[in-house]
Amino acid sequence: MEYRIGKQYETWEWKHSGPAPAGSQAEIDLRGSFQGDGKSMAVKGFYAGNGEYRLRFLPEAAGDYSYEIVSDSLGIRESGVLHAEPADAGRHGPVRAKGTALFYADGTRFASFGTTVYALANQSEALIEETLETLGEAPFNKLRTCVFPKHYAYNANNPRFYPFEVKAGQAQRAFSAEGLPVFPLRKGVADDYWDTERPCFAFWEHLEAVLQRLDALGIQADLILFHNYDRWGFSNMSRADNLRYLDYLLRRLAAFPNIWWSMANEYDLCFDKSDEDFRTFEAFIAANDPYGHLLSNHNCFQMWDASRETVSHISFQTKELTRVAELMRKFGKPVLVDECRYEGNIPEFWGNLSGQDLVRSFWRVTVQGGFCTHGETYLPETPQGKLATRTGEKDVVWWAKGGRLNGQSPERIAFLRSVIESLPGPLEPVEGGFPELANLEEEALRETIARFPEDFQSFLGSIARMNRLERELFYAVEYNYEGHCGDSVFLSYLDDQCPAVYEMKLPEDRLYRVDVLDTWEMTRQTALQGVKGKVRVKLPGKPYMAVLAVAEELGEEEENG
């Protein structure tokens, strides 16, 4: 009987030395079962190369876990006890969805403020190091990044490592005299080229090192498993090869506490994969991840169906930011606008927002109770982008490769994060108002209008005569960005409105302090104290203001969440 020591919310690893597998090096016979914390969990081990076998487990409670690790082919049958010591300060476990909000495993609220570096792990060591240093000082606690290398504008370099070894007989054709890979591969060649039975262990060790560095910085890795921006043949592998890849990935990474699974970046542009393929991947991931990490599928045009229980949250690419509250109500799940265009100056329309516009997007999404993701796309040869890196590498754009941040939005996103994390709980969209009418069917719309005062019904009747599309377009412009935490907090973002006075209707049974926030200048000033009911708040008559009412009887501990 073995007795081993681990730690709550940290990956525990078991190792064994033996001969290399005779067959597949990806799908091996090594399995473990763990009983503790009232649960029984089955996990798979993996071959790590050089005669080393590993099995990883993530204890989510302090205390003892009895375990058994078995491999018939290796002649292993080890029983023992893993004692998990209590978590260190600042370690909270995996992030999971609870209703429309996100929480760590220990119940600590997680407000996602993400950024994007698609090809981080495929860059030089110097550039990776600089990116991680930048992230350590940035306001972001989530990173969207890819497993496979990415070929797209501003990202044309070959990576140092590839996920799999080349099949026997292909090496001579695939590499130049200098030993460099010769790409692109023709469509349909991938199955004859990459050997998914033989993972490239250097690739996986390198990827794991990056993920562990992110974890040390307190950053969640929203790991993109597939995409179509590819010249190496990974995007058109067979379904069997894709499932083998997912199986090996889950064996190695599922026990990491800071992992989210994003099945694809723009799944609907993955032209060699059908919706049925992605539903198969979704079911496979859910069935083979013992820890239930967050699971989503990111779109370009058509949102992935989030109604299934296996989909934990909505990862949405959209500029229709008025839809956040609608989707929260429809699915009862967190809504993450992971792409709403980027701050930058590249020619492509999706990458030339001003800093002000990206900050506006963050406030619009966040006030409704959703979460927004940043990206920066300044051309390196322009004044805004020329300081993108200290490494001397050219063509470094943050959204693609990392480096340094030079935009105006990050410090203002930090200000927003400080405001949101000071609240006693997650925000929810304010119920009622015109926007909800946009999504009602005719009978429900008539019933809703009948509940308003009679002298207001004629006005609403004019709106009701619009068809549903007309109403949706109308409300997309005439929209109030408002959220609340029960009756403890009310937050309104006025966007491009410039009123001198803002009228706010607060509950009559509590007293509130009302603060005025300048979201661009990053200031917060108290305008009223000890108020209730209908109040008038003086404003400076400029855009990008927000008004925050907080119940005065909230203690400091409650107000800071």
Side-chain angles (χ1 to χ4, degrees):
M1 176 74 71
E2 298 288 339
Y3 187 80
R4 300 178 182 268
I5 302 294
K7 188 159 284 190
Q8 182 185 18
Y9 300 141
E10 295 187 25
T11 306
W12 176 76
E13 186 172 81
W14 174 92
K15 295 181 181 180
H16 174 81
S17 295
S24 173
Q25 295 186 351
E27 299 170 308
I28 65 164
D29 167 36
L30 178 62
R31 58 198 183 276
S33 61
F34 291 78
Q35 289 80 37
D37 189 31
K39 302 174 185 175
S40 180
M41 298 177 65
V43 299
K44 296 178 181 178
F46 62 95
Y47 182 60
N50 296 318
E52 186 170 88
Y53 295 80
R54 302 181 188 179
L55 185 144
R56 291 168 173 165
F57 177 67
L58 180 64
E60 293 196 44
D64 289 341
Y65 294 81
S66 60
Y67 71 85
E68 184 176 39
I69 298 173
V70 176
S71 172
D72 296 329
S73 60
L74 294 169
I76 296 171
R77 186 170 295 275
E78 177 182 306
S79 298
V81 173
L82 170 64
H83 176 72
E85 297 177 343
D88 289 340
R91 302 291 295 184
H92 303 292
V95 173
R96 298 193 178 100
K98 183 178 180 182
T100 58
L102 296 168
F103 292 86
Y104 289 102
D106 69 354
T108 302
R109 179 163 55 100
F110 178 80
S112 177
F113 289 87
T115 189
T116 308
V117 184
Y118 281 125
L120 172 61
N122 298 307
Q123 306 311 313
S124 69
E125 290 299 325
L127 187 53
I128 291 172
E129 187 65 31
E130 185 169 24
T131 305
L132 293 170
E133 289 178 7
T134 301
L135 286 168
E137 300 174 355
F140 307 114
N141 56 13
K142 184 187 82 123
L143 178 72
R144 296 188 71 229
T145 195
C146 299
V147 176
F148 289 124
K150 185 175 181 182
H151 172 72
Y152 195 57
Y154 318 106
N155 191 8
N157 57 303
N158 283 323
R160 290 174 58 201
F161 309 111
Y162 297 90
F164 318 111
E165 299 292 349
V166 176
K167 285 187 176 180
Q170 296 292 338
Q172 186 65 36
R173 179 176 65 81
F175 289 86
S176 68
E178 293 78 22
L180 298 174
V182 177
F183 293 108
L185 292 176
R186 297 189 313 278
K187 184 174 180 179
V189 172
D191 291 343
D192 297 324
Y193 186 79
W194 297 112
D195 189 349
T196 58
E197 303 275 12
R198 295 172 59 233
C200 173
F201 304 116
F203 171 92
W204 292 97
E205 289 167 5
H206 178 68
L207 176 63
E208 288 174 355
V210 172
L211 298 175
Q212 289 165 342
R213 290 286 303 278
L214 292 172
D215 185 39
L217 293 171
I219 296 173
Q220 301 291 306
D222 194 356
L223 200 59
I224 297 165
L225 307 181
F226 297 102
H227 62 78
N228 207 44
Y229 301 102
D230 170 58
R231 68 174 185 271
W232 302 276
F234 300 117
S235 63
N236 50 58
M237 296 190 306
S238 68
R239 184 187 290 189
D241 278 337
N242 286 327
L243 289 172
R244 187 176 297 112
Y245 148 70
L246 289 176
D247 181 62
Y248 189 74
L249 175 140
L250 289 162
R251 289 169 183 255
R252 289 196 73 128
L253 302 183
F256 282 29
N258 65 320
I259 290 291
W260 303 14
W261 310 122
S262 179
M263 281 189 286
N265 183 55
E266 300 178 330
Y267 83 92
D268 45 342
L269 299 188
C270 293
F271 303 121
D272 291 301
K273 296 177 179 65
S274 65
D275 284 4
E276 181 184 352
D277 286 326
F278 279 111
R279 286 192 293 272
T280 299
F281 302 154
E282 178 187 307
F284 184 87
I285 294 167
N288 288 275
D289 174 8
Y291 310 100
H293 290 289
L294 293 169
L295 174 60
S296 68
N297 203 9
H298 178 75
N299 67 294
C300 183
F301 300 110
Q302 185 176 9
M303 192 183 77
W304 184 247
D305 181 6
S307 63
R308 290 182 295 277
E309 187 176 350
T310 43
V311 179
S312 61
H313 65 283
I314 297 162
S315 176
F316 200 18
Q317 176 174 176
T318 186
K319 294 177 280 294
E320 296 180 277
L321 304 182
T322 56
R323 296 195 61 194
V324 170
E326 168 204 339
L327 294 172
M328 290 172 68
R329 295 185 183 106
K330 179 178 180 179
F331 293 104
K333 296 179 180 181
V335 174
L336 285 88
V337 180
D338 279 321
E339 191 172 339
C340 57
R341 300 170 64 193
Y342 305 117
E343 177 183 357
N345 61 7
I346 61 176
E348 292 83 352
F349 75 93
W350 45 262
N352 50 35
L353 280 183
S354 68
Q356 285 183 325
D357 276 330
L358 186 57
V359 172
R360 289 174 68 193
S361 295
F362 262 81
W363 276 88
R364 290 167 174 173
V365 171
T366 305
V367 165
Q368 297 178 79
F371 307 98
C372 200
T373 298
H374 158 278
E376 185 174 298
T377 48
Y378 283 111
L379 290 171
E381 64 266 25
T382 60
Q384 300 95 325
K386 66 181 180 180
L387 299 178
T389 178
R390 294 190 301 267
T391 64
E393 298 178 52
K394 297 180 179 180
D395 300 326
V396 174
V397 176
W398 173 267
W399 146 93
K401 299 181 179 180
R404 291 165 58 178
L405 289 162
N406 296 291
Q408 294 181 294
S409 62
E411 62 179 318
R412 289 159 176 94
I413 293 169
F415 174 72
L416 170 59
R417 179 177 172 180
S418 70
V419 171
I420 296 304
E421 291 184 343
S422 75
L423 304 182
L427 287 168
E428 298 178 351
V430 171
E431 298 291 338
F434 292 165
E436 284 193 28
L437 301 180
N439 299 303
L440 295 179
E441 300 297 338
E442 186 174 348
E443 182 177 351
L445 181 61
R446 287 198 303 270
E447 293 174 354
T448 300
I449 290 175
R451 293 197 292 269
F452 283 85
E454 187 174 349
D455 60 353
F456 197 50
Q457 290 180 20
S458 296
F459 174 79
L460 294 177
S462 297
I463 295 176
R465 285 193 291 273
M466 293 191 289
N467 63 43
R468 184 166 181 171
L469 176 59
E470 290 172 332
R471 291 199 304 271
E472 289 176 351
L473 293 173
F474 172 73
Y475 294 133
V477 178
E478 304 294 332
Y479 192 85
N480 293 323
Y481 295 95
E482 299 175 323
H484 70 109
C485 301
D487 63 354
S488 298
V489 171
F490 297 88
L491 178 59
S492 298
Y493 176 58
L494 305 186
D495 198 20
D496 56 0
Q497 301 176 49
C498 302
V501 175
Y502 180 70
E503 292 189 346
M504 203 171 201
K505 190 173 182 180
L506 301 170
E508 296 279 358
D509 57 350
R510 301 183 80 170
L511 298 178
Y512 294 84
R513 183 190 77 241
V514 179
D515 292 346
V516 174
L517 291 74
D518 187 321
T519 67
W520 186 253
E521 299 297 337
M522 299 173 286
T523 61
R524 177 174 176 173
Q525 296 181 333
T526 297
L528 299 170
Q529 288 183 292
V531 297
K532 62 181 180 178
K534 189 174 182 179
V535 299
R536 289 168 61 87
V537 186
K538 290 184 179 180
L539 294 174
K542 57 187 293 191
Y544 317 136
M545 305 302 292
V547 179
L548 173 64
V550 180
E552 287 193 338
E553 66 268 29
L554 289 180
E556 182 177 342
E557 181 177 344
E558 183 181 358
E559 186 174 346
N560 289 318

